[in-house]
Amino acid sequence: MITSTTNYTDTLDKIEKLKLSIKEVETNIYSQIPQGITNEFDKSKLSLLNWLEEMEVMLMELQEK
């Protein structure tokens, strides 16, 4: 049986760090990669950021319980 410890704060912190890392990579990408590829990055980035925001909301709700 797999047991896990619930640490919502740690997970929320890691999500925030991930979002900051994405922004840092984004800066580098825009200065180094052709626009056609950056358009695909933008679509994927937005999808990932939306998913991360949904996870944050869910974790905050669980944390309040």
Side-chain angles (χ1 to χ4, degrees):
M1 179 157 101
I2 297 174
T3 60
S4 66
T5 57
T6 305
N7 188 341
Y8 300 121
T9 302
D10 182 55
T11 304
L12 288 166
D13 288 343
K14 288 178 181 175
I15 289 173
E16 191 59 37
K17 287 178 184 177
L18 179 57
K19 289 166 47 177
L20 291 172
S21 293
I22 290 168
K23 290 182 187 229
E24 290 173 7
V25 169
E26 177 182 37
T27 301
N28 292 347
I29 285 175
Y30 288 143
S31 67
Q32 299 171 16
I33 306 293
Q35 185 176 3
I37 296 174
T38 59
N39 291 342
E40 290 301 316
F41 171 78
D42 286 337
K43 291 177 193 174
S44 298
K45 178 192 75 170
L46 289 174
S47 177
L48 178 58
L49 290 175
N50 286 337
W51 179 78
L52 290 172
E53 287 178 16
E54 286 182 36
M55 294 299 292
E56 284 177 313
V57 169
M58 181 189 309
L59 290 170
M60 285 188 265
E61 288 175 357
L62 290 170
Q63 192 174 27
E64 290 175 0
K65 290 183 179 184

